[in-house]
Amino acid sequence: MSEALSRVYEVCEEIGRGQFGRVFRCLNLSTNELFACKSIDKRVLADSIDRECVEKEPKTMLCLSSHPNIVSIHEAYEDDSHLHLIMDLCEPGLDLYQLLSGGAVPEQEASVIAASLMEGIAHCHRRGVCHRDVKPENVLFDSVGRLKLADFGSAEWFGDGRGMSGVVGTPYYVAPEVLQGREYNEKVDVWSAGVILYTMLAGFPPFYGETAQDIFEAVMRGNLRFPFRAFRNVSAGAKDLLRRMLCRDVSRRFSAEQVLRHSWILSAGDDTNF
Ligand SMILES: Nc1ncnc2c1ncn2[C@@H]1O[C@H](COP(=O)(O)OP(=O)(O)OP(=O)(O)O)[C@@H](O)[C@H]1O
């Protein structure tokens, strides 16, 4: 453990494990505030790609500075073997994946969650950062229930107008243009958030398959349906927004800012305009 780190923080129990390291709850000894400490073991980084990935994540998070719907990074400590990142603390074990394991969520709750998620994504896009792996496991909640978008390990810069490439993401949530191997832009995050919103309302994902290949084929077809048994009580406003987020034509797909201005989001799911 870095000496500089232990002068300022007491590192407590482990609350999570990732590919490159472990996450601990920690206490700032002078302010008594709680944080999360992600300790990356530099010795397990196999090659330059791993190293680049680990170095890029904190740089990206620092550029996003503090936003209420993004896990912020506060400090970094480095010693010979580890890089320790002090971040906002979220509730261990409570993420959107966990919440969705209970099935569909009520429409108003889904609207509030979608609005916070889109606030976080819109902030990234304003700063020229595309998250590229928006999925329920990366949507955490802090101790007062505030949503925090996490895990910027796959994020990429697009700020200078350049397109992005490379297949990144997770089968159910990845946008069709990513799978097609074409250049893409930040609207891939809006697609992924649309998949999350659909799953919150229906209790199952919009593009389904038994294997990763089957899921990819369903995503590529992009055939958006609203089965009656799952959507009979879902408002027309919610379905309108889903069509605009899960639109295969990228030029017609809503941007994050447009999603935030949609009446279903502005009315917190209580929209009577449709
Ligand atoms: N700020 C945080 N507050 C509370 N728990 C966290 C926080 N960040 C991460 N975690 C928990 O720690 C686990 C590991 O996180 P980490 O970011 O190291 O890896 P990951 O995103 O799951 O995977 P990978 O290393 O492949 O990117 C997460 O699944 C989550 O449960």
Side-chain angles (χ1 to χ4, degrees):
M1 192 58 63
S2 150
E3 261 183 52
L5 169 70
S6 45
R7 272 199 295 274
V8 185
Y9 293 94
E10 182 190 337
V11 178
C12 311
E13 78 277 11
E14 182 179 310
I15 52 175
R17 252 172 212 235
Q19 197 187 340
F20 299 119
R22 297 152 75 190
V23 180
F24 301 89
R25 196 169 60 88
C26 71
L27 176 75
N28 182 308
L29 293 165
S30 48
T31 66
N32 271 340
E33 276 180 290
L34 288 168
F35 293 92
C37 174
K38 181 165 166 174
S39 295
I40 296 158
D41 187 344
K42 295 191 286 186
R43 295 163 300 186
V44 304
L45 305 177
D47 50 32
S48 58
I49 298 173
D50 278 2
R51 270 192 294 281
E52 195 194 322
C53 178
V54 157
E55 281 164 13
K56 201 165 161 195
E57 185 175 9
K59 277 189 204 152
T60 310
M61 290 171 83
L62 279 169
C63 288
L64 296 170
S65 65
S66 63
H67 183 278
N69 299 118
I70 288 177
V71 171
S72 294
I73 190 164
H74 298 270
E75 284 182 278
Y77 294 87
E78 192 161 7
D79 55 36
D80 289 344
S81 57
H82 286 82
L83 174 65
H84 305 281
L85 305 172
I86 306 296
M87 309 181 293
D88 287 340
L89 177 68
C90 295
E91 280 294 290
L94 177 61
D95 57 29
L96 190 54
Y97 182 83
Q98 192 65 30
L99 197 85
L100 288 173
S101 65
V105 302
E107 187 167 333
Q108 289 195 351
E109 190 183 338
S111 172
V112 172
I113 291 173
S116 301
L117 175 60
M118 293 313 302
E119 288 285 0
I121 292 174
H123 178 75
C124 295
H125 292 181
R126 276 179 224 125
R127 297 282 164 103
V129 171
C130 180
H131 186 285
R132 300 204 301 178
D133 197 15
V134 174
K135 60 178 175 180
E137 293 90 324
N138 290 336
V139 177
L140 310 182
F141 296 92
D142 69 9
S143 60
V144 293
R146 192 190 293 121
L147 179 150
K148 301 254 180 198
L149 180 59
D151 193 359
F152 287 80
S154 303
E156 185 57 281
W157 299 96
F158 66 89
D160 49 7
R162 117 187 101 99
M164 292 167 281
S165 58
V167 179
V168 181
T170 305
Y172 285 121
Y173 306 94
V174 71
E177 63 270 25
V178 175
L179 295 176
Q180 280 157 4
R182 291 194 276 130
E183 261 201 357
Y184 51 85
N185 66 19
E186 73 280 9
K187 286 189 186 175
V188 296
D189 288 343
V190 174
W191 176 281
S192 305
V195 175
I196 290 182
L197 176 55
Y198 185 107
T199 310
M200 284 197 284
L201 294 168
F204 51 83
F207 311 111
Y208 181 78
E210 292 288 330
T211 63
Q213 187 57 34
D214 291 347
I215 300 167
F216 289 151
E217 280 165 19
V219 171
M220 299 278 261
R221 282 193 299 276
N223 197 356
L224 185 63
R225 290 173 191 278
F226 298 115
F228 179 74
R229 71 186 157 86
F231 280 89
R232 70 173 161 243
N233 295 321
V234 173
S235 71
K239 286 184 245 180
D240 180 77
L241 179 58
L242 282 171
R243 279 189 209 97
R244 294 170 192 277
M245 295 175 81
L246 295 173
C247 176
R248 272 165 46 97
D249 179 347
V250 180
S251 64
R252 285 178 41 238
R253 187 181 309 154
F254 265 14
S255 66
E257 301 285 354
Q258 284 175 305
V259 173
L260 288 172
R261 290 196 299 269
H262 190 276
S263 56
W264 184 77
I265 291 287
L266 291 174
S267 66
D270 200 13
D271 181 11
T272 50
N273 288 333
F274 286 87

